Amino acid sequence: MSKKSTDAAGSTDLPLPHADRPVASAPGHWVLARAGKRVLRPGGAALSAAMLSHAGLAGADVVELAPGLGRTAAEIIKDHPASYTAIDRDPDAARRVAAVVGDLGTVRQGEAADTGLDEASADVVVGEAMLTMQGDKGKAAIVAEAARVLRPGGRYAIHELGVTPDDIDEDYYTQLRRDLARSIHVNARPMTAAAWKELMEDAGLVVDWVDTAPMALLKVGRNIRDEGLGGFLRIARNVAADKALRRRVQEMAATFKRYEKDMVGFALVAHKPES
Ligand SMILES: C[S@@+](CC[C@H](N)C(=O)[O-])C[C@H]1O[C@@H](n2cnc3c(N)ncnc32)[C@H](O)[C@@H]1O
């Protein structure tokens, strides 16, 4: 899948994923994309940048799992990797990312747990806001695939939704998960920092770096920083003009607000040991 690059933010004439689904029932991230949002991960672009700076991208063979609309793809390409390969399960997302990376990368539609890539063929695997939406088995299968694809010494960088503290009350956590899933229409299963680290260690990876940022996906300040003032104003106009979109965004914002102190953007970089 190779198309001429359009712009680094991934805004092309190509259809958005789930564009034909009613706003009331579409997955939250694609609803936000419809409103104009391009940074679809909980800790925002700054946490992604910090994570990428610890991943060692220059001159590396990089694989991105679930690139979405290609915003991180554009950042990775800027760091001059030796190669860029991406796999997203959504065909429209894959087409849009192909347009973002142009001749500088390869993008395929596929499953992150079964990339079809050769064993030990990558120096860096990146995945953001995609493990959170898998169950326990799905998470483990994707992390095992990332570990398989990495060369010894290679790095796996993730940016996902965290819950805090590590000893969060089990009933409260269950309620948070249910409310979140109901609001974003994705069966999201965020985890504590300890559980994210354990997921890596269970696959034989060694965690080297961890950071967090507030879960501020729908906050004004974060959106001005991540989408630019023009992008923020476009989102605000789109939301104001469409009643169904407004209702959905308001519902999600209310849930995020309710659990503001319990949720964080969580990023880590782990490496595959030499033997
Ligand atoms: C919330 S979006 C995040 C997109 C992008 N990584 C970002 O942070 O802006 C989730 C993305 O994960 C993709 N995805 C979810 N599960 C996947 C899987 N098992 N294999 C491949 N892609 C997956 C979806 O199609 C979507 O593009």
Side-chain angles (χ1 to χ4, degrees):
M1 198 172 288
S2 180
K3 264 203 174 88
K4 209 169 161 15
S5 180
T6 47
D7 78 50
S11 61
T12 75
D13 294 337
L14 296 166
L16 284 166
H18 293 232
D20 50 356
R21 287 267 301 268
V23 148
S25 61
H29 50 286
W30 296 139
V31 170
L32 297 178
R34 226 179 277 188
K37 200 157 163 48
R38 294 294 174 264
V39 178
L40 301 173
R41 67 217 72 138
L47 186 60
S48 296
M51 175 193 77
L52 294 178
S53 76
H54 285 83
L57 298 172
D61 289 316
V62 179
V63 172
E64 186 175 8
L65 303 176
L69 299 178
R71 176 67 186 261
T72 291
E75 298 302 319
I76 292 172
I77 293 288
K78 277 189 213 157
D79 271 354
H80 305 291
S83 67
Y84 173 87
T85 307
I87 289 117
D88 198 292
R89 67 154 57 136
D90 187 283
D92 291 314
R95 273 189 281 275
R96 290 180 71 101
V97 181
V100 170
V101 301
D103 296 337
L104 299 174
T106 305
V107 185
R108 280 196 288 108
Q109 181 199 356
E111 278 297 318
D114 183 16
T115 61
L117 297 171
D118 288 343
E119 191 174 331
S121 58
D123 302 303
V124 180
V125 176
V126 176
E128 298 183 284
M130 57 84 66
L131 287 172
T132 301
M133 59 177 69
Q134 327 289 330
D136 289 346
K137 276 192 186 155
K139 284 184 174 83
I142 291 170
V143 178
E145 177 68 352
R148 186 189 71 78
V149 162
L150 281 173
R151 298 186 176 111
R155 284 85 60 203
Y156 185 26
I158 68 164
H159 174 172
E160 295 290 341
L161 185 57
V163 288
T164 176
D166 281 346
D167 63 350
I168 188 168
D169 177 80
E170 201 54 45
D171 291 340
Y172 184 71
Y173 171 58
T174 303
Q175 190 60 49
L176 179 157
R177 262 199 302 131
R178 283 200 189 127
D179 287 353
L180 187 63
R182 205 172 293 134
S183 156
I184 64 175
H185 297 180
V186 173
N187 199 4
R189 274 144 300 192
M191 302 203 300
T192 62
W196 284 118
K197 285 187 227 163
E198 197 180 323
L199 182 68
M200 298 293 128
E201 287 157 5
D202 286 350
L205 301 172
V206 178
V207 176
D208 299 311
W209 174 87
V210 170
D211 201 2
T212 61
M215 161 47 177
L217 200 62
L218 295 179
K219 293 273 172 93
V220 171
R222 167 72 63 77
N223 277 282
I224 293 174
R225 276 195 300 282
D226 280 6
E227 314 293 346
L229 185 59
F232 167 72
L233 292 173
R234 192 171 59 246
I235 295 169
R237 266 197 309 274
N238 289 340
V239 171
D242 182 329
K243 198 173 164 194
L245 189 58
R246 195 163 64 250
R247 180 171 302 153
R248 201 55 217 286
V249 170
Q250 281 169 346
E251 276 168 15
M252 287 193 271
T255 306
F256 295 169
K257 177 87 191 139
R258 187 173 326 133
Y259 293 107
E260 192 172 14
K261 71 172 185 18
D262 312 300
M263 298 198 295
V264 286
F266 175 85
L268 68 72
V269 178
H271 77 271
K272 179 172 173 170
E274 295 290 336
S275 59

